[in-house]
Amino acid sequence: MNAPHLPKVAGIDSTVPPPAHTVPPAAPVPEAPGAPGALIQDRLAGWVSDLTTLHELTERLSRTATLDEALNEVLRAGAALVGARRGLVVVEPADGLGPDTTVGLGFARADLGYLETVPRAATAYGRLLEASAAGTPLAEITEIAQPDLFADETFDPRHREVARRLGYAASYALPLATEATGGVGAAVWLYDEPAEPAPRRRHLIGLYVRYAAEHLARLVEFTRARTTVATLREELLPSRLSRVAGVQLAARHRAGARGGGDWYDALPLPDAALGLSVGSVTGSGPSAVAAMGRLRASLRAYAVMEGEDPVAVLSDLELLLRLTEPARSATALFAYCEPALRKVVLAGAGHSPPLLVGERRTEFVETSLSAPLGMLACWEAPSVEIRPEPGETLLLYTDGLLHRTGDAMDRAFARLHAAAASVPKAAREDPGAVADHVLRTVLPEGIDGAAGRDEDVVLLAARFE
């Protein structure tokens, strides 16, 4: 649908209406005598070239999975389409719910900070953002082309100073907005010399930015959801570990991309005892996080009442899970520790065995093979008692640590054992240093590595004095 020329809004140039076709109609060109088909072929070839370019760029953008990746791709693609070398994209959703972020192309971090000293209303992207925040109809927020900044008598003095320092003389800005969500942000590309994109380039970047705005709006919603789940998880897990005489504690935790249901806990118990637990609820997302919170809270209550009997604690937890979460299962491990006696009694339900790390031994604790909670009509497995020596560290972890290696389970266990055995002697005095060494060795790509990114990772270390 061809749109008429739109009125200017707050200095926004509305002289370029959105075209109805893939490319803007070309100006009439006199046909060469005797060759009427040559012009048509050239024009068709140009259309095909434009469509191919647009398809390749949108395909690359569609493969981005995070907001930062998408913003960098938009800047690179836009720079190629408008013929610029540098650019800036600012994300500020019009609903004010965030996330707010700024990404630059061809700028150092200090340069971005210098740009932020320019009054917002003096920049092209700032006027686009202000128009969006003020509720200006989407159809009235169009491009802003400034082909020669220094020839503009209204150019802000501060902006002039920054432009001279950073070495740009022209800009071309476009809004990032959708009909469904409204304004998402704005993008601006900067030229080293006075310049502006040709009509054909303007048309292509306009089509690309419309698609990019839809993609960015989806990623904004995804980022908000992830932030909400992460905040909920952090509130449900302990903000700090308890201090109990005779034992030092450290925990490392990282949620997967979808927000899983892994937990850890360290609970002081009567008679100077300590309860340690790790576990994992099936599923992902907010519902799994909520189920994890309920199970962890219930386990704490059972531990206070009958913590000296880990089998009874897990049996009660299994009954609760079966009655209140019949569609879920969970793995769990609970250990009742008496630090003064260096005595640990533990039981596990479908969970990986803990690892005891010391100067003279590094070995997995032999636990009975048992089913996860909620898988059998009645769960029960015998407990195991161990006696850590002074200076030894007990490592409790969830299966996510093994899955993120990308190896088969037997090789993952071997990698974990080798990592624990290689802890330097100086690091064995600090359970946090032990945990960090194990994570660095087991996951060479880091805790945020690509392999098994959806898996949560929990590692709880308890060093006995």
Side-chain angles (χ1 to χ4, degrees), residues 143-165:
E143 64 173 17
I144 298 180
Q146 296 176 303
D148 191 347
L149 293 171
F150 297 105
D152 185 356
E153 296 180 355
T154 64
F155 196 30
D156 181 82
R158 177 58 182 166
H159 195 182
R160 185 185 301 272
E161 177 187 346
V162 172
R164 288 190 187 280
R165 176 169 178 173

Side-chain angles (χ1 to χ4, degrees), residues 343-365:
K343 174 183 174 183
V344 179
V345 180
L346 59 88
H351 206 84
S352 298
L355 186 59
L356 196 59
V357 183
E359 185 175 352
R360 294 189 296 178
R361 60 175 173 173
T362 299
E363 59 187 28
F364 289 103
V365 178

Side-chain angles (χ1 to χ4, degrees), residues 377-447:
C378 182
W379 176 90
E380 186 170 347
S383 60
V384 176
E385 180 180 319
I386 59 174
R387 297 272 182 167
E389 296 181 3
E392 288 190 329
T393 299
L394 184 65
L395 294 179
L396 285 68
Y397 54 93
T398 57
D399 289 346
L401 176 61
L402 304 174
H403 293 159
R404 283 212 187 190
T405 64
D407 293 337
M409 290 301 288
D410 57 342
R411 294 184 61 183
F413 276 116
R415 178 182 289 191
L416 175 59
H417 184 276
S422 66
V423 175
K425 184 176 181 180
R428 296 180 187 273
E429 302 296 322
D430 179 8
V434 173
D436 291 336
H437 175 85
V438 169
L439 287 175
R440 286 194 305 267
T441 309
V442 174
L443 306 175
E445 295 182 350
I447 200 170

